[in-house]
């Protein structure tokens, strides 16, 4: 049996939609067996470190859990061009860790997003990075390391369970923004998922009116979770065949 502590967070300004308030419910996983985690993913939960969360915003359903149907996905013409453009980038998949190289790339990425999209300014410490991406030492967690000519240009945290994958977070070298590394990373995760015979790639929350979150429907066919349900109820996912 999984051991989790659940709390409801305070209301706060929404980080994604201006003028909205947001509220989250959290579960802190003292233990997180893979089967339990798979059930939580199916019900719209996300994970950072030992913390699991999902929104409980009154009167708002803009955060829609989205998962890509891996075996049915076929890259578009533009996505195939992105794969070809980045064919010299080398991908390594391994267990998560913390290095100064990772921290430096994370800080450069966030500084760029602060300038371009007004994200909150922050520099991450080794302890904070560990808490968000490494803590728990869960056996299903992996980091996808992208290098070009030996230089770190992107890093993704991805969970891989028996049946599915979950894309946790990705950051990249801002000077290479023209290479569409965000899209490239999703395509490489989908390639890995197909090779590993996984059914779905969970992408977190699709938010139509948020520039940082509205790219997730560009990989059809995908499914949207109809409603957040509790642990005793079966979640209903609706298939979409085109980007909307």
């Amino acid at each position: 049996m999984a051991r989790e502590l659940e709390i409801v967070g305070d209301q706060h300004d929404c980080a994604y939609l201006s003028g909205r308030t947001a509220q989250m419910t959290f579960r802190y996983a003292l233990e997180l067996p893979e089967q339990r985690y798979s059930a939580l993913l199916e019900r719209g939960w996300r994970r950072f470190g030992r913390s699991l969360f999902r929104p409980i915003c009154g009167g708002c359903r803009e955060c829609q859990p989205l998962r890509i149907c891996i075996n049915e996905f076929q890259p578009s013409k533009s996505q195939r061009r992105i794969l070809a453009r980045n064919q010299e980038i080398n991908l390594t998949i391994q267990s998560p860790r913390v290095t100064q190289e990772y921290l430096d790339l994370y800080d450069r990425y966030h500084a760029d997003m602060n300038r371009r999209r007004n994200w909150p300014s922050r520099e991450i410490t080794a302890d904070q990075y560990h808490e968000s991406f490494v803590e728990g030492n869960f056996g299903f967690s992996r980091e996808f390391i992208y290098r070009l000519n030996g230089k770190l240009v992107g890093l993704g945290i991805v969970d891989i369970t028996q049946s599915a994958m979950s894309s946790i977070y990705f950051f990249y070298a801002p000077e290479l923004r023209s290479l569409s590394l965000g899209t490239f990373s999703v395509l490489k995760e989908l390639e890995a998922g197909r090779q590993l015979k996984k059914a779905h790639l969970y992408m977190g929350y699709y938010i139509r009116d948020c520039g940082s979150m509205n790219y997730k429907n560009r990989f059809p066919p995908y499914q949207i979770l109809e409603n957040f349900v509790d642990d005793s109820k079966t979640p209903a996912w609706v298939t979409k065949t085109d980007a909307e």
Side-chain angles (χ1 to χ4, degrees):
M1 177 66 67
R3 297 169 58 208
E4 301 157 14
L5 303 175
E6 183 165 357
I7 62 170
V8 174
D10 296 331
Q11 288 191 348
H12 56 277
D13 291 339
C14 180
Y16 303 115
L17 298 173
S18 178
R20 304 282 187 99
T21 58
Q23 190 172 24
M24 309 293 288
T25 183
F26 298 92
R27 291 180 178 181
Y28 185 78
L30 303 177
E31 297 177 0
L32 191 57
E34 186 175 313
Q35 185 175 3
R36 170 61 173 165
Y37 182 46
S38 295
L40 292 170
L41 286 173
E42 289 181 342
R43 289 159 177 79
W45 290 87
R46 297 286 288 161
R47 183 188 75 83
F48 268 31
R50 290 188 180 273
S51 295
L52 298 144
F53 59 91
R54 68 181 185 184
I56 51 170
C57 309
C60 180
R61 274 286 285 121
E62 294 300 318
C63 288
Q64 298 181 291
L66 182 152
R67 66 186 188 185
I68 302 170
C69 304
I70 293 176
N71 293 324
E72 300 170 51
F73 169 76
Q74 294 295 329
S76 66
K77 186 176 181 180
S78 64
Q79 290 168 345
R80 290 195 297 270
R81 286 198 296 265
I82 291 171
L83 286 170
R85 186 188 311 153
N86 293 299
Q87 60 184 336
E88 294 185 3
I89 293 179
N90 177 260
L91 169 62
T92 302
I93 301 174
Q94 59 191 32
S95 297
R97 54 180 181 161
V98 185
T99 73
Q100 189 60 49
E101 185 182 33
Y102 296 177
L103 302 180
D104 292 343
L105 181 64
Y106 183 97
D107 286 345
R108 290 199 295 116
Y109 170 75
H110 275 262
D112 179 68
M113 295 301 277
N114 170 257
R115 289 190 295 269
R116 294 193 301 108
R117 296 189 176 178
N118 202 34
W119 282 20
S121 178
R122 69 169 303 192
E123 292 186 357
I124 198 166
T125 67
D127 287 343
Q128 290 169 337
Y129 188 97
H130 185 275
E131 181 179 357
S132 293
F133 303 125
V134 183
E135 188 174 352
N137 294 319
F138 299 122
F140 48 71
S141 184
R142 296 289 183 271
E143 61 183 23
F144 282 47
I145 303 298
Y146 300 88
R147 293 187 181 276
L148 180 60
N149 298 323
K151 180 181 178 181
L152 179 68
V153 297
L155 191 152
I157 303 296
V158 182
D159 289 340
I160 304 176
T161 72
Q162 185 174 0
S163 61
M165 299 169 62
S166 179
S167 189
I168 304 297
Y169 202 74
F170 177 73
F171 52 95
Y172 60 86
E175 66 272 15
L176 299 180
R177 190 170 64 250
S178 63
L179 296 181
S180 302
L181 293 180
T183 297
F184 178 67
S185 72
V186 176
L187 295 171
K188 297 304 288 185
E189 289 171 18
L190 288 166
E191 283 186 2
R194 189 184 297 271
Q195 293 170 0
L196 295 169
K197 300 183 178 356
K198 307 305 179 184
H200 299 105
L201 174 62
Y202 288 86
M203 294 292 292
Y205 304 123
Y206 166 69
I207 305 174
R208 183 190 60 186
D209 295 327
C210 175
S212 299
M213 304 288 278
N214 64 7
Y215 68 92
K216 300 179 181 184
N217 69 340
R218 300 174 191 167
F219 306 87
Y222 60 91
Q223 296 179 330
I224 295 289
L225 182 63
E226 276 194 329
N227 294 293
F228 294 115
V229 298
D230 62 33
D231 294 353
S232 64
K233 296 181 180 178
T234 301
W237 290 82
V238 178
T239 300
K240 308 285 186 178
T241 57
D242 297 300
E244 298 180 349

